[in-house]
Amino acid sequence: MVERSVTYLNNIKLDSLKGFGEKRYSSLKKSNLSSIADLLRFFPKKHIDRSKIKKIVEINDSDIDKEVTMIGNISKVSVFTTRSRLRITTLSISDNSGNVKAKWFGPQYIESRFKEGDDVALSGKPDIKKTGSIEFKNPTIEKFADIEELNETGSLIPIYPKIDGISSAVIRKALKEVLQIVNSPKDEFLPGIKDVIPQKILQKYSKISRTESFQAIHFPKNIKEYNLAKDRLALDEFLYLRSIFENLKSEFKNKNKGPIYKFNDIDINNFISELPFKLTNSQINSYQEILEDLTNTFPMKRLLQGDVGSGKTVVAAIAVYAVVKSGFQVAFMAPTEVLAEQHLKSISEFLKYSDIDIYFLSSSVKDRDNVLESISTGKPGLYIGTHALIQEKVLFSNLGLVIIDEQQRFGVDQRKKLITDSDIVPDQLVMTATPIPRTTALSIYGDLDISSINELPPGRKEIISYLFNGLKGDSNLVFDKCKEHLNQNSQIFVVCPYIDESENSDIQAAEIVYKEYKEKFEDKNVALLHGKMHYEEKEKIMNDMTEYKIDILVSTVVIEVGIDIPNASLMVIESAERFGLNQLHQLRGRVGRGEKQSECIFHITKKKSLSTISEDGKKRLEAIVELSDGFKLSEIDLEIRGEGKVTGKNQSGRSDLKIADLRYDYNLLLESKKIHEEINGTDESIEIFQEAKLLFPNYFAAEGTT
Ligand code: ADP
Ligand code: MG
């Protein structure tokens, strides 16, 4: 005799429940609920605490800003459209002690779901007018067909996300039936839901059983019980993730053969000892992890992450050295031409005592034939470039390693496209400078192993950040700051407003800013750089900048990524409120790379100030001036933008996680890792993977890349 497994419950369709006819069943299916397992995992969005229900007469000033629940009867429904076309629906609700008004703003069609005479539960924050009348704005409202139902439910009543045509009451009833079914013995089944974590481990980590969790997530006796259930069910979701990624990884390793190299430690150590600086500990750990991967028989898939300026390039250079020395080709891709050139420059510097050939390929390189021939004849060497490297005509015949400086611009899709005509799958190193919160990294890069550089090279001074308004006085302060830096023979970056997707409008904006600075600093060399300039022109400007021939470099966001000019000590970001938080952080990271004290000015658009820009813009600017830690900023960025966007195109917001939150449940994520290791290889771990495949289909869609 066994308990029913989730896999088994996933096969029982919801139309087998009492009262679930075709119509209801099809509404449920539209919301991705088709089986009993789905329904059990349809978690309530909140619970109404019956012990906290107030009579209207009891609601007073002390309840303002607190959530209050009341139960009453609808006495009137009215809809009103303002002249500005705002739709306002008002319900008057009364109990035997008084009455309140509830208002909804916008097209929510409350009036089609509620009518005079309905009994409802209302929760929200009350507004108490001077006259004493009480109003709720956009409260949660629930119909109770039969108020008596409340008495059966216990003190916490679950309220479910809205599904067309199906009220929370129907869901509650169905769930009670489901829980009743799974808790009764029948045929070969024992009561309860089969667990995937052995009793011993549950005890060790103080987790409650699955059966208890599903009961308590819906119908908890108290908040504590609810929280335990939530913790356990979120753990299961992390186990699913872990299991999927581990399986994808081992499948990849079993299916694919990687290149075999013949570099030796002595060579590598010599190379490292000739570098112009001592590596930081994180750099050492990272390069060792990479070299170890390279010596494996299966291909590497590794993410190297580290904040701006943490020194990822040199780590990549060590890998390049090892691979090319073994007679293979390395393709090194950057998202923009300017950045590709920067890499060319700095890696050439690191490799200058070696005899490694370095080639550059971008869409504007003239003498492409020579490079293309070396690529296709399999000539060992380092091939640096942009997207041009992954175009159809480019066919590597001896590719050992692909390095992708991702900067969050390449997606999974592009990673796939690099073409080779060999059976050997090249090793892959993805670098990202947009520090990804560890938790999010798992969801985006779950199929990659991760190395982190979590310290900056020694001697870096923290960059001082300023926030200036766009009002006249403040704009003069920006120029004063520029003068200070110019007087110390420092160079300045000025980044221009990001206007919209079209680069042309960015360039126009940049030209205006450029003129302004040119007039203000007549005796200085002010230059303009933008993406549409000719290759040679850009290259000349970059060279002039490195050779201190330019004092102020005004540019569009093309310089956002990678540029390394140690003598630049001031960064001015114009219309800073228009930029994303990560972008602001990247831009600020362009300075602070030399000995001088660096500063960064976040300058709001002309005539605007912190109080007249958007709420999100304000939050971003406040965060960026306060914090210098890229990881924290990324986390805040996620909060401001809301979830979803981080998962890339294929999944676009359709995460399978229903209860675990990658942003907040980090400790649970770590626990899941340990637990997964403890049960790895057992029947339970196979069962987890089975369940994961059923319940987390989206991860397979997006992550199955090679
Ligand atoms: P990022 O991780 O942003 O790509 P870079 O690789 O461009 O950072 O490195 C930033 C700067 O720090 C470069 O000028 C690089 O030469 C320098 N650098 C890297 N590692 C060290 C180190 N261990 N000690 C001193 N300087 C270093
Ligand atoms: Mg870099």
Side-chain angles (χ1 to χ4, degrees), residues 572-591:
V572 182
I573 303 171
E574 299 289 353
S575 296
E577 79 278 8
R578 291 173 176 248
F579 292 84
L581 198 43
N582 280 324
Q583 228 176 357
L584 291 173
H585 179 65
Q586 299 282 323
L587 286 168
R588 176 170 59 188
R590 296 300 115 221
V591 295

Side-chain angles (χ1 to χ4, degrees), residues 267-296:
D267 261 8
I268 303 280
N269 290 338
N270 280 340
F271 175 70
I272 290 170
S273 66
E274 277 169 4
L275 290 171
F277 40 68
K278 211 169 147 273
L279 297 177
T280 62
N281 286 335
S282 324
Q283 283 172 322
I284 293 173
N285 288 338
S286 299
Y287 95 72
Q288 285 175 345
E289 283 166 353
I290 292 168
L291 292 190
E292 197 177 319
D293 279 4
L294 291 180
T295 54
N296 286 330

Side-chain angles (χ1 to χ4, degrees), residues 334-345 360 362 364 384-386 529-535 538-539 541-542 553 555-564:
T336 65
E337 199 161 80
V338 177
L339 182 61
E341 275 171 52
Q342 183 76 39
H343 280 314
L344 175 66
K345 216 173 233 150
F360 189 73
S362 74
S364 47
I384 300 182
T386 55
L529 178 70
H530 62 71
K532 289 232 169 120
M533 280 172 142
H534 207 265
Y535 168 75
K538 276 193 276 187
E539 190 176 45
I541 290 174
M542 290 315 302
L553 180 62
S555 80
T556 57
V557 275
V558 293
I559 65 142
E560 172 200 340
V561 283
I563 288 182
D564 193 23

Side-chain angles (χ1 to χ4, degrees), residues 451-613:
S451 293
S452 294
I453 306 184
N454 48 24
E455 61 193 316
L456 294 179
R460 293 274 171 82
K461 295 197 188 92
E462 180 137 343
I463 302 162
I464 301 172
S465 295
Y466 300 92
L467 180 56
F468 285 144
N469 282 323
L471 310 173
K472 193 118 200 189
D474 268 17
S475 298
N476 285 331
L477 290 178
V478 175
F479 291 130
D480 291 347
K481 273 275 162 219
C482 290
K483 276 180 214 146
E484 271 176 41
H485 284 260
L486 292 169
N487 286 341
Q488 299 164 18
N489 293 320
S490 290
Q491 291 160 281
I492 299 174
F493 286 119
V494 179
V495 174
C496 297
Y498 172 72
I499 307 289
D500 54 37
E501 296 298 311
S502 103
E503 200 181 346
N504 289 334
S505 45
D506 281 359
I507 293 170
Q508 277 171 6
E511 275 161 354
I512 296 171
V513 175
Y514 168 67
K515 274 204 194 102
E516 234 177 21
Y517 277 80
K518 212 166 162 56
E519 273 166 30
K520 200 83 199 170
F521 299 99
E522 277 177 328
D523 54 332
K524 297 289 176 186
N525 196 355
V526 184
L528 175 66
L529 178 70
H530 62 71
K532 289 232 169 120
M533 280 172 142
H534 207 265
Y535 168 75
E536 279 107 24
E537 224 176 327
K538 276 193 276 187
E539 190 176 45
K540 179 165 184 329
I541 290 174
M542 290 315 302
N543 274 331
D544 287 354
M545 189 71 185
T546 349
E547 289 165 11
Y548 308 152
K549 287 184 194 154
I550 293 172
D551 300 299
I552 302 177
L553 180 62
V554 178
S555 80
T556 57
V557 275
V558 293
I559 65 142
E560 172 200 340
V561 283
I563 288 182
D564 193 23
I565 312 275
N567 189 49
S569 63
L570 177 64
M571 165 66 70
V572 182
I573 303 171
E574 299 289 353
S575 296
E577 79 278 8
R578 291 173 176 248
F579 292 84
L581 198 43
N582 280 324
Q583 228 176 357
L584 291 173
H585 179 65
Q586 299 282 323
L587 286 168
R588 176 170 59 188
R590 296 300 115 221
V591 295
R593 296 182 166 221
E595 297 293 300
K596 291 178 187 163
Q597 175 63 60
S598 288
E599 302 187 302
C600 180
I601 296 174
F602 300 94
H603 194 196
I604 295 174
T605 299
K606 275 210 174 63
K607 300 203 176 117
K608 294 196 170 176
S609 67
L610 204 52
S611 56
T612 57
I613 58 175

